[in-house]
Amino acid sequence: MNHSQNISPITCAELEWQQVDGVDIPVSKQFGDVYFSKANGLLETRHVFLNGNDLSERLAQLADSEQFIVGETGFGTGLNFLALWQLWQNVRPNNNSRLHFISVEKYPLSKADLARALATWDELAPLSKRLLESYPFALAGCHRLSFDDERISLDVWFGDASECFPLIQNNHPINAWFLDGFAPSCNPELWQEQIFKHIMRLSAQGTTFASFSVAGVLKRALQSYGVEITRSKGFGHKREMLKAIWKNTDDQIQNDLKKHNQPNTQEQNHQKHTIQKHYSQKKTAIIGAGIAGLTTAWTLAQRGIAVTLYEQEQPLAGGSGNPLAMLNPKLCPMDKVATHLMTTSWQYALRFYQQFDAFQAMQIEQTHDTKSNEKKINDVLALQDYPNDILEIIQSESGHHDTEQSTVLLKQAGVISPHQFAEQVLAHPLISLIQKKVTQLKVCDDQKIHLYDQEDNKIEELSDVIVCNAMDLNQLLSNTPKLKPIRGQVTWTNIKGTDLNTPLENDEKNTAYSFGGYASFMQNNQTQQLIFGASFIPNDDQTDLRIEDHQHNYELLQQYQPQLAQRINDDPEEWQGRAALRAQTADYLPLVGRYDRISPNLYIFSGLGSKGFLFAPLCAELVVSQMLNEALPVPSNLAYLLRPNRFKIKP
């Protein structure tokens, strides 16, 4: 597998609209074909894809905690997904079963076009509204949308199928396929042999397939893998449709398909080890209640799994406990978006935090100190390819980019109040917090994990443990990658002459600042304050409050945001602050996933550095997806880069 493989930048669909009996029918300019039947797109979806895969019966029979995965070859207007969601609402059993949908789309519709297309079906309006609210940016890669109250989730991959399918890693076979997309005569690239190899790689014995098309290229491709095909009555004027099942999978075919699988075969074997574990049998603990532990606990609880958090002090005692946290990514060029952790994490984090009162959407002025540095100038200019609703490069009055510094206005960002976030997480009925230091972890022959306290007393026996304890990781597990401490001190103080009765201007309330450091307005008790910082001192493991760190933060603020520096008292003796340690890996990527050097039931989520609140939601989703044997929410090569056992450990 090529670990540098990526997905090309996205071009949105170009549409024409046809009126048929008062209904707007979208037509693709790229392919010259309609997105759904002019007769009735919703009825066609039900007939071909839902009935063609016998989904009413199969979904209704799901056992408690069983998951069912549907794959699709063209997301289009999302009509198939919404029709499936509607069916799921009607037939899903009253247990903790879950439905997951994976789809690929080379030319995603704009949000406005999507809304217009879906407005046709009033009966789907509540579901269409929720899809539109979560609809991702037109950026390449995997976008996971979770609707946990409905026990349904969606991975929509934006990109060419030939680039996306090789990067999809599922640890549970896809149960049913919607072989959709434009007709083979209009879009032959979608029906290539290399794409079918990955469709079959992601499938297993018992997987079913349905398609409106009975084209020879489709039938021959499926039959070459031993898939049994029947032709049923098509929808409307179409005489036939395809219905198929993979009944008997030949060993040689399976072996050939494994060659196209992910590189970490040991990981795959451990996934098979865990596939039979029932949710209700899981006894799960998380060690550490910082942002990593809290987001992981929430993600598990949203799946219906009870979890215990062990924390030696109080939640957010470490690097996550500042008064305010900012979602402030350094975005990559568009051709690297799909596998760039910071960019993918930022998109997921925006959706994740919006469900919490602790989040405030905000734009960020990012000042880049270019100083005639050609590389830095080019890094900023590379951002011009992002859609204008995401960011804007602010030019000087002369119309040219300043050679000393450049400003990027990131329009999609925000800030989080960490302690308010923690309160909401810990209020979840499936999350419990125990204040106790875990000092030892032992794995038994049956792979159960035992936790011990400082007095060597056994605390609990568990089926799964996720270690999220930042700098304490190396003490608890001696044979883990070495983490480096980075001291950071943040400063906050009152704004001159204001209180809560002196409201900030709208642009001040809705704007934060990034300049190597960061600054944001915040409310604290009855005062308006400015929080700014933070110092960055590698290999300093002390957390005492220092005047010199305050001065460093203020000098940085004066240099890049002098108008903000003028609004606060310049006496550091009157300032408040907090110092904490960030845990950093040698390659600056966090440790995320199963740590099979010790146990297939042990997971590590640590080393987030200074981007904890940005990385945590997506990385938590990745850990939980591995643990529950779900499809991964990131490209397989990115998950591979984050694996905790990527480093050689010195004896």
Side-chain angles (χ1 to χ4, degrees), residues 222-293:
L222 292 174
Q223 288 171 336
S224 70
Y225 292 97
V227 175
E228 295 185 17
I229 294 175
T230 58
R231 288 186 283 188
S232 303
K233 173 71 175 70
F235 175 77
H237 69 277
K238 294 183 180 178
R239 189 163 53 90
E240 294 178 321
M241 60 167 277
L242 181 143
K243 187 174 179 179
I245 185 169
W246 203 8
K247 283 187 177 178
N248 299 305
T249 58
D250 181 83
D251 288 343
Q252 183 59 48
I253 290 175
Q254 287 292 331
N255 290 333
D256 290 343
L257 289 171
K258 283 178 182 177
K259 296 176 183 177
H260 297 273
N261 215 330
Q262 287 67 41
N264 194 349
T265 54
Q266 190 176 20
E267 170 77 5
Q268 294 294 315
N269 291 335
H270 286 323
Q271 299 292 359
K272 292 175 183 176
H273 172 86
T274 60
I275 193 169
Q276 299 301 325
K277 284 201 290 188
H278 199 280
Y279 283 17
S280 61
Q281 296 171 338
K282 284 183 176 292
K283 202 170 183 186
T284 303
I286 295 171
I287 301 172
I291 187 58

Side-chain angles (χ1 to χ4, degrees), residues 144-156:
R144 174 158 294 182
L145 313 182
S146 297
F147 307 96
D148 292 314
D149 58 323
E150 298 272 349
R151 308 197 323 261
I152 188 171
S153 51
L154 163 67
D155 285 350
V156 56

Side-chain angles (χ1 to χ4, degrees), residues 400-424:
H400 299 289
H401 296 289
D402 197 317
T403 57
E404 292 298 314
Q405 62 184 40
S406 300
T407 301
V408 175
L409 182 63
L410 180 62
K411 300 177 182 179
Q412 304 290 343
V415 295
I416 303 105
S417 299
H419 295 278
Q420 187 181 3
F421 170 75
E423 286 178 10
Q424 188 169 347

Side-chain angles (χ1 to χ4, degrees), residues 117-153:
L118 294 177
T120 300
W121 296 286
D122 291 339
E123 63 180 289
L124 297 178
L127 304 182
S128 300
K129 180 175 183 290
R130 295 196 64 179
L131 175 61
L132 286 163
E133 288 171 348
S134 298
Y135 194 62
F137 303 133
L139 298 176
C142 178
H143 305 274
R144 174 158 294 182
L145 313 182
S146 297
F147 307 96
D148 292 314
D149 58 323
E150 298 272 349
R151 308 197 323 261
I152 188 171
S153 51

